[in-house]
Amino acid sequence: MIEAYVGESILGRAIKKGVIEVEAVNIRDFTDDRHLTTDDAPFGGGPGMVMKCEPVFKAVEALNARRNGAKPRVLLMTPQGRRFDQKMAEELARENCVIIICGRYEGVDERICEQLVTDEVSIGDYVLTGGELAALVITDAVARLLAGVLGDESSPESESFSSGLLEYPQYTRPADFLGSRVPEILLSGNHAEIDKWRRKQAIIRTFKKRPDLLQNAPLDEKDKRYLRELQANEVDEPKSTTD
Ligand code: ADE
């Protein structure tokens, strides 16, 4: 699952260029019984299976040994963890290396959480069948912040969340699609005015779609004044115009 995703598209290209490395480790390779057992019934009874300590500890130790004992952060994907967001992606992008353990079945032996894991991480309040998709979400969100992964290196800064606001609306050709026209200002060539318009749009969008983000967004005095106008309902949502 992991290799199939990271081998494609933007991540695949970054890996080929040698900008990032992603290695999928199969914990079955760290079992020593005939059945390659990685899980077992829970002590105390109950449904489901629990991931065993030995293969997970051995896998992480093997990875650390290859890094001369340097101990990277060890993330465990679990719906019980800290909610992943852009801030955490930025935090992880500053690490040299991260190990992600994909939880499965009913859970993992608690000693893995206590002794091996540095961060329990959830990608949202819902339960997946396993941690692989969650690990891929994190890998993708972190990798694209690293220099050389995206073609246009300036793009992560202007996008949703990194400025604390949602992104302004974007349009491309044609300027008129079935009578629906892009806002005239974008065709004006006046970049100072376009920047102002975009800033306002970002504030409007955030106000409408994710007002919770406004509490922590860095807003200057002009932004705040505009926001107060919005709150007082004095501003209509700008739209593409229709004849
Ligand atoms: N494993 C199962 N559900 C998950 C979730 N929501 N986030 C992270 N890992 C998970």
Side-chain angles (χ1 to χ4, degrees):
M1 284 169 79
I2 304 289
E3 283 167 356
Y5 183 78
V6 301
E8 294 294 324
S9 188
I10 292 176
L11 293 198
R13 203 177 55 214
I15 291 169
K16 276 189 207 99
K17 277 199 292 181
V19 183
I20 54 166
E21 265 178 74
V22 180
E23 181 179 354
V25 174
N26 187 349
I27 54 165
R28 283 197 200 283
D29 296 344
F30 297 89
T31 54
D32 40 29
D33 65 311
R34 222 158 43 88
H35 302 291
L36 311 179
T37 311
T38 56
D39 60 352
D40 207 339
F43 276 123
M49 299 289 269
V50 177
M51 271 172 68
K52 289 167 68 64
C53 283
E54 295 95 323
V56 179
F57 271 77
K58 280 187 189 161
V60 171
E61 278 158 15
L63 289 170
N64 286 346
R66 286 206 330 236
R67 299 176 52 79
N68 299 322
K71 290 199 169 156
R73 275 164 81 167
V74 178
L75 277 46
L76 173 68
M77 296 300 102
T78 161
Q80 298 181 17
R82 170 181 161 199
R83 179 88 67 86
F84 183 67
D85 58 14
Q86 191 64 21
K87 191 163 146 266
M88 191 172 184
E90 283 160 13
E91 186 186 310
L92 292 173
R94 289 192 287 273
E95 301 284 335
N96 248 325
C97 172
V98 175
I99 294 175
I100 307 180
I101 301 172
C102 303
R104 278 237 143 209
Y105 312 117
E106 298 301 299
V108 305
D109 189 301
E110 190 61 22
R111 290 163 292 190
I112 294 173
C113 309
E114 287 168 0
Q115 296 170 37
L116 208 54
V117 168
T118 58
D119 308 75
E120 294 187 22
V121 184
S122 164
I123 60 161
D125 289 342
Y126 40 80
V127 182
L128 304 165
T129 54
E132 289 82 359
L133 279 176
L136 282 171
V137 165
I138 287 174
T139 304
D140 191 281
V142 172
R144 63 188 291 289
L145 296 175
L146 302 174
V149 172
L150 296 183
D152 171 6
E153 289 197 17
S154 67
S155 49
E157 275 111 56
S158 68
E159 72 205 2
S160 294
F161 298 113
S162 36
S163 69
L165 297 172
L166 299 184
E167 202 180 358
Y168 50 78
Q170 299 269 32
Y171 300 86
T172 187
R173 276 184 283 265
D176 185 323
F177 175 67
L178 304 178
S180 169
R181 286 186 57 73
V182 310
E184 285 304 319
I185 180 80
L186 297 177
L187 310 176
S188 69
N190 184 337
H191 289 287
E193 285 303 312
I194 290 173
D195 285 349
K196 271 196 235 162
W197 182 86
R198 286 180 164 166
R199 181 77 187 169
K200 284 186 171 180
Q201 293 300 315
I203 295 171
I204 293 173
R205 279 223 155 156
T206 312
F207 176 68
K208 297 244 167 177
K209 297 187 185 186
R210 289 292 307 276
D212 56 300
L213 295 177
L214 289 168
Q215 268 161 1
N216 296 319
L219 299 177
D220 66 17
E221 278 315 308
K222 236 201 244 157
D223 295 334
K224 284 183 192 157
R225 214 175 317 126
Y226 190 61
L227 184 59
R228 279 194 297 272
E229 284 170 32
L230 278 178
Q231 283 159 339
N233 243 335
E234 288 163 21
V235 178
D236 281 336
E237 193 173 11
K239 277 213 180 77
S240 32
T241 46
T242 323
D243 299 327

